[in-house]
Amino acid sequence: MCGIVAYVGHREACPVIIKGLKRLEYRGYDSAGIALMNGSLNVYKKKGKVADLEAALADVDTHGNIGIGHTRWATHGEPNDVNAHPHYSTSRNIAIIHNGIIENYASLKQLLIQKGHTFQSETDSEVFINLIEDIRVNNNCSLPEAVRLAMHEVVGAYAIVVLSKDTPNQLIAARKGSPLVVGIGKGEFFLASDATPIIEYTNEVVYLNDYELAVIHDGQLDIRTKEDVKKTPYVQTLEMALESIEKGGYEHFMLKEIFEQPKSILDSMRGRMIAENDHLMMAGVREFENKFQNADRIIIVACGTSWHAGLVAEYLFEDLARIPVEVEYASEFRYRNPIITEKDIVIAISQSGETADTLAALELAKSKGATIFGVCNVVGSSIARATDAGAYTHAGPEIGVASTKAFTAQVTVLTLIAMIIGKKRGTLETTKLRQLIAEMESIPSKVEKALQLNEQIIGISEVYKDATNFLYLGRGYNFPVALEGALKLKEISYIHAEGYPAAEMKHGPIALIDEQMPVVVIATKDSSYEKIVSNVQEVRARKGKVIAVVTEGDTTIPAMADHVIEIPETSEHLVPLLSVIPLQLLSYHIAVMRGCNVDQPRNLAKSVTVE
Ligand code: F6R
């Protein structure tokens, strides 16, 4: 987590960095800070949002063309002014911004204290900058060399940028495990955790690899490994549009992203499906078609919402391709000595492509010889680069911390993969495949229709905005959707919510139901419809308030429910793409009505780069 931005060039550094930090605020918003060469090397930092830092800078002469900035998601040390980045070294000659965790910081700190270094904060980052200073003084070497040598001493994850009073035209950056992008403009350079702060100025970027060091000095970019081997920068041209990272008239990014779903779903299937001749095409899958065909098992590793998309994929792969699937929390999988063979395919699902646990889980599976396939949204991300092959979801940048369009894009891509493998394995017959392709094509317009429920859902949100608990129930393909609906509500409105398979309710959670309990039941017309009708009756019998998501035209469940949300009819395999929409809207409106910051919910960060 944490977002870092740095600039050197002909512009005023401060506004570029502040604007960049605002774009990266989704990565953490406990505190923000900036170091500028405005006369000397000065650090300004503040607990709270980037806007608080901006206000604190109002009376400061920020004039200068080089600087480094940081927005923090606290790991070591509580969120306060002192623990905010940047951090000076003891001499105050150099300053650092850091994203990641230095695991051996405590032992390094002891050593540095013995050598006379002093510390202001509780952070591991201040240890890193003092280590660099210590190496520089003891070895009488240049600052880039000291950073390179320090990379050999620290254990953990980092993306850092260092600025020195003595070399006021130089930025030094390094990475291991946390993302870092270099933007190359005309006579100017940018460094950032992702491309969003850069895209406004240039679309030429270089993604740093692990254990690489970048030195920007006198208009030159020099990249070398921590073993001091010079690398030729691999410059990529980004296609990201500026509008895609702005709110475009919506009150929140989350709402914009919910409403973008007809387009993002279409983008995620674009060019991958031709209905007329039931042709399905995905370069990454084609590369490993035989592996998929002969796989003993598919293991899906992911976290949070991406894990829910993985659960939908479990139903899809088993149903359409008849391959056994296990869906694992990446954080559990990586630490439980799992049995993995060379005939396993491991699919890592991640919006950001930077989630530390997912990355570690796939590295573990790779070391055991499994084939690793990635389903990521962020192009060039660490997970995308660590896989053997993969498919991007093409949902566009997702800025709201609560994942919405990334989920539906993941489910779309996973559905296509299941169809491709099912076709190849002969488990998905042509007529059914054709029907599914035709239905897939109609999904964007059906999502559009589901979005028209917005006004109705505002009304339902009014009724339940003060509830203290919610239950979400679903069966089959709608069970993961129930989990996702509950996660969305709790993360942005801070209302306790639980998602459950509807039939499991009577094994415990039914005890929670009384007249105060809103129960969202996803009860679309599918193979478990009759069963879920009984579950709704069980809730009614205990006086629970039923908010039912049903298929258009249903008359049975509406007769039993307090509120009915009708979504368009579709195939059972595709229903999560529609049934999740009202649940996203419900959580959004309830959170707004409760005065919560939906785009930046407390304690959360968009990209979880710590385990
Ligand atoms: C919930 C949410 C998180 C992420 C999780 C994994 O709305 O956004 O649960 O889904 O942190 O993140 P990625 O997909 O980036 O690996």
Side-chain angles (χ1 to χ4, degrees), residues 260 263-265 267-268 351 376-377 392-398 405-407 409-410:
E260 268 173 7
K263 178 175 181 303
S264 52
I265 291 175
D267 287 345
S268 64
Q351 186 287 127
C376 294
N377 193 36
Y392 282 117
T393 48
H394 298 306
E398 190 180 65
K405 65 173 180 171
F407 172 77
Q410 287 166 343

mmCIF file of all heavy atoms in Angstrom, residues 260 263-265 267-268 351 376-377 392-398 405-407 409-410:
data_model
loop_
_atom_site.group_PDB
_atom_site.id
_atom_site.type_symbol
_atom_site.label_atom_id
_atom_site.label_comp_id
_atom_site.label_asym_id
_atom_site.label_seq_id
_atom_site.Cartn_x
_atom_site.Cartn_y
_atom_site.Cartn_z
ATOM 1 N N GLU A 260 -20.084 2.264 -15.207
ATOM 2 C CA GLU A 260 -19.243 1.944 -16.373
ATOM 3 C C GLU A 260 -19.363 0.485 -16.798
ATOM 4 O O GLU A 260 -18.810 0.083 -17.815
ATOM 5 C CB GLU A 260 -17.769 2.189 -16.011
ATOM 6 C CG GLU A 260 -17.263 3.572 -16.333
ATOM 7 C CD GLU A 260 -15.859 3.798 -15.801
ATOM 8 O OE1 GLU A 260 -15.228 2.854 -15.291
ATOM 9 O OE2 GLU A 260 -15.392 4.924 -15.895
ATOM 10 N N LYS A 263 -19.886 -0.972 -20.322
ATOM 11 C CA LYS A 263 -18.722 -0.790 -21.193
ATOM 12 C C LYS A 263 -17.556 -1.692 -20.756
ATOM 13 O O LYS A 263 -16.900 -2.325 -21.585
ATOM 14 C CB LYS A 263 -18.298 0.680 -21.187
ATOM 15 C CG LYS A 263 -17.066 0.914 -22.027
ATOM 16 C CD LYS A 263 -16.693 2.367 -22.134
ATOM 17 C CE LYS A 263 -15.454 2.539 -23.001
ATOM 18 N NZ LYS A 263 -14.280 1.806 -22.556
ATOM 19 N N SER A 264 -17.310 -1.754 -19.439
ATOM 20 C CA SER A 264 -16.131 -2.528 -19.022
ATOM 21 C C SER A 264 -16.336 -4.020 -19.299
ATOM 22 O O SER A 264 -15.391 -4.724 -19.663
ATOM 23 C CB SER A 264 -15.787 -2.260 -17.551
ATOM 24 O OG SER A 264 -16.903 -2.442 -16.730
ATOM 25 N N ILE A 265 -17.576 -4.489 -19.174
ATOM 26 C CA ILE A 265 -17.837 -5.911 -19.485
ATOM 27 C C ILE A 265 -17.620 -6.146 -20.981
ATOM 28 O O ILE A 265 -16.988 -7.110 -21.395
ATOM 29 C CB ILE A 265 -19.266 -6.324 -19.045
ATOM 30 C CG1 ILE A 265 -19.337 -6.327 -17.510
ATOM 31 C CG2 ILE A 265 -19.644 -7.681 -19.607
ATOM 32 C CD1 ILE A 265 -20.723 -6.588 -16.938
ATOM 33 N N ASP A 267 -15.698 -4.387 -22.921
ATOM 34 C CA ASP A 267 -14.250 -4.318 -23.186
ATOM 35 C C ASP A 267 -13.553 -5.621 -22.804
ATOM 36 O O ASP A 267 -12.589 -6.023 -23.444
ATOM 37 C CB ASP A 267 -13.613 -3.163 -22.389
ATOM 38 C CG ASP A 267 -13.988 -1.803 -22.971
ATOM 39 O OD1 ASP A 267 -14.475 -1.768 -24.122
ATOM 40 O OD2 ASP A 267 -13.804 -0.784 -22.276
ATOM 41 N N SER A 268 -14.048 -6.270 -21.749
ATOM 42 C CA SER A 268 -13.363 -7.482 -21.305
ATOM 43 C C SER A 268 -13.659 -8.661 -22.228
ATOM 44 O O SER A 268 -12.939 -9.651 -22.220
ATOM 45 C CB SER A 268 -13.706 -7.806 -19.851
ATOM 46 O OG SER A 268 -15.066 -8.102 -19.741
ATOM 47 N N GLN A 351 -7.214 -7.690 -9.305
ATOM 48 C CA GLN A 351 -7.457 -6.432 -9.999
ATOM 49 C C GLN A 351 -6.150 -5.669 -10.135
ATOM 50 O O GLN A 351 -5.715 -5.321 -11.222
ATOM 51 C CB GLN A 351 -8.494 -5.613 -9.219
ATOM 52 C CG GLN A 351 -8.972 -4.335 -9.873
ATOM 53 C CD GLN A 351 -7.982 -3.183 -9.876
ATOM 54 O OE1 GLN A 351 -7.704 -2.610 -10.945
ATOM 55 N NE2 GLN A 351 -7.412 -2.843 -8.754
ATOM 56 N N CYS A 376 -5.631 -10.451 -14.461
ATOM 57 C CA CYS A 376 -5.320 -9.177 -13.799
ATOM 58 C C CYS A 376 -5.945 -8.026 -14.572
ATOM 59 O O CYS A 376 -6.176 -8.125 -15.777
ATOM 60 C CB CYS A 376 -3.810 -8.935 -13.775
ATOM 61 S SG CYS A 376 -2.938 -10.120 -12.769
ATOM 62 N N ASN A 377 -6.136 -6.923 -13.868
ATOM 63 C CA ASN A 377 -6.657 -5.737 -14.545
ATOM 64 C C ASN A 377 -5.524 -4.782 -14.915
ATOM 65 O O ASN A 377 -5.533 -4.205 -16.000
ATOM 66 C CB ASN A 377 -7.689 -5.034 -13.654
ATOM 67 C CG ASN A 377 -8.474 -3.993 -14.415
ATOM 68 O OD1 ASN A 377 -8.787 -4.196 -15.600
ATOM 69 N ND2 ASN A 377 -8.786 -2.888 -13.783
ATOM 70 N N TYR A 392 -5.802 -10.239 -19.554
ATOM 71 C CA TYR A 392 -6.152 -8.997 -18.864
ATOM 72 C C TYR A 392 -7.674 -8.820 -18.887
ATOM 73 O O TYR A 392 -8.334 -9.248 -19.842
ATOM 74 C CB TYR A 392 -5.482 -7.803 -19.544
ATOM 75 C CG TYR A 392 -4.015 -7.664 -19.188
ATOM 76 C CD1 TYR A 392 -3.023 -7.772 -20.161
ATOM 77 C CD2 TYR A 392 -3.634 -7.437 -17.871
ATOM 78 C CE1 TYR A 392 -1.672 -7.641 -19.823
ATOM 79 C CE2 TYR A 392 -2.293 -7.307 -17.531
ATOM 80 C CZ TYR A 392 -1.315 -7.409 -18.508
ATOM 81 O OH TYR A 392 -0.004 -7.283 -18.161
ATOM 82 N N THR A 393 -8.183 -8.158 -17.852
ATOM 83 C CA THR A 393 -9.641 -7.980 -17.791
ATOM 84 C C THR A 393 -10.098 -6.716 -18.527
ATOM 85 O O THR A 393 -11.282 -6.573 -18.822
ATOM 86 C CB THR A 393 -10.128 -7.935 -16.327
ATOM 87 O OG1 THR A 393 -9.295 -7.034 -15.600
ATOM 88 C CG2 THR A 393 -10.053 -9.295 -15.683
ATOM 89 N N HIS A 394 -9.180 -5.802 -18.787
ATOM 90 C CA HIS A 394 -9.488 -4.594 -19.567
ATOM 91 C C HIS A 394 -10.649 -3.774 -19.008
ATOM 92 O O HIS A 394 -11.422 -3.189 -19.766
ATOM 93 C CB HIS A 394 -9.782 -4.943 -21.031
ATOM 94 C CG HIS A 394 -8.621 -5.583 -21.735
ATOM 95 N ND1 HIS A 394 -7.372 -5.015 -21.772
ATOM 96 C CD2 HIS A 394 -8.524 -6.769 -22.393
ATOM 97 C CE1 HIS A 394 -6.553 -5.819 -22.442
ATOM 98 N NE2 HIS A 394 -7.216 -6.886 -22.819
ATOM 99 N N ALA A 395 -10.788 -3.755 -17.682
ATOM 100 C CA ALA A 395 -11.886 -2.973 -17.088
ATOM 101 C C ALA A 395 -11.534 -1.495 -17.006
ATOM 102 O O ALA A 395 -12.392 -0.674 -16.694
ATOM 103 C CB ALA A 395 -12.212 -3.506 -15.694
ATOM 104 N N GLY A 396 -10.285 -1.135 -17.272
ATOM 105 C CA GLY A 396 -9.852 0.260 -17.096
ATOM 106 C C GLY A 396 -9.524 0.494 -15.635
ATOM 107 O O GLY A 396 -9.865 -0.333 -14.777
ATOM 108 N N PRO A 397 -8.864 1.628 -15.334
ATOM 109 C CA PRO A 397 -8.451 1.869 -13.946
ATOM 110 C C PRO A 397 -9.642 1.856 -12.988
ATOM 111 O O PRO A 397 -10.663 2.479 -13.269
ATOM 112 C CB PRO A 397 -7.827 3.269 -13.988
ATOM 113 C CG PRO A 397 -7.488 3.491 -15.411
ATOM 114 C CD PRO A 397 -8.473 2.719 -16.230
ATOM 115 N N GLU A 398 -9.490 1.131 -11.894
ATOM 116 C CA GLU A 398 -10.527 1.129 -10.851
ATOM 117 C C GLU A 398 -9.950 1.897 -9.665
ATOM 118 O O GLU A 398 -8.959 1.484 -9.071
ATOM 119 C CB GLU A 398 -10.894 -0.301 -10.449
ATOM 120 C CG GLU A 398 -12.118 -0.357 -9.563
ATOM 121 C CD GLU A 398 -12.479 -1.780 -9.158
ATOM 122 O OE1 GLU A 398 -11.675 -2.421 -8.443
ATOM 123 O OE2 GLU A 398 -13.541 -2.254 -9.561
ATOM 124 N N LYS A 405 -16.432 -2.768 -10.940
ATOM 125 C CA LYS A 405 -16.308 -3.170 -12.350
ATOM 126 C C LYS A 405 -15.209 -4.211 -12.541
ATOM 127 O O LYS A 405 -15.253 -4.991 -13.486
ATOM 128 C CB LYS A 405 -16.075 -1.953 -13.240
ATOM 129 C CG LYS A 405 -14.772 -1.221 -13.015
ATOM 130 C CD LYS A 405 -14.574 -0.135 -14.067
ATOM 131 C CE LYS A 405 -13.266 0.599 -13.838
ATOM 132 N NZ LYS A 405 -12.925 1.504 -14.924
ATOM 133 N N ALA A 406 -14.236 -4.236 -11.629
ATOM 134 C CA ALA A 406 -13.182 -5.254 -11.771
ATOM 135 C C ALA A 406 -13.772 -6.639 -11.551
ATOM 136 O O ALA A 406 -13.405 -7.601 -12.237
ATOM 137 C CB ALA A 406 -12.055 -5.004 -10.773
ATOM 138 N N PHE A 407 -14.735 -6.741 -10.606
ATOM 139 C CA PHE A 407 -15.362 -8.041 -10.322
ATOM 140 C C PHE A 407 -16.092 -8.562 -11.563
ATOM 141 O O PHE A 407 -15.912 -9.703 -11.975
ATOM 142 C CB PHE A 407 -16.331 -7.895 -9.142
ATOM 143 C CG PHE A 407 -17.163 -9.120 -8.880
ATOM 144 C CD1 PHE A 407 -16.631 -10.221 -8.238
ATOM 145 C CD2 PHE A 407 -18.500 -9.178 -9.280
ATOM 146 C CE1 PHE A 407 -17.402 -11.362 -7.993
ATOM 147 C CE2 PHE A 407 -19.278 -10.306 -9.042
ATOM 148 C CZ PHE A 407 -18.724 -11.396 -8.395
ATOM 149 N N ALA A 409 -15.703 -7.730 -14.625
ATOM 150 C CA ALA A 409 -14.762 -8.023 -15.726
ATOM 151 C C ALA A 409 -14.055 -9.355 -15.461
ATOM 152 O O ALA A 409 -13.844 -10.157 -16.385
ATOM 153 C CB ALA A 409 -13.756 -6.884 -15.860
ATOM 154 N N GLN A 410 -13.694 -9.603 -14.213
ATOM 155 C CA GLN A 410 -13.047 -10.886 -13.881
ATOM 156 C C GLN A 410 -13.987 -12.046 -14.191
ATOM 157 O O GLN A 410 -13.587 -13.039 -14.805
ATOM 158 C CB GLN A 410 -12.699 -10.924 -12.386
ATOM 159 C CG GLN A 410 -11.534 -10.036 -12.003
ATOM 160 C CD GLN A 410 -11.420 -9.814 -10.493
ATOM 161 O OE1 GLN A 410 -12.360 -10.055 -9.752
ATOM 162 N NE2 GLN A 410 -10.281 -9.324 -10.058
#
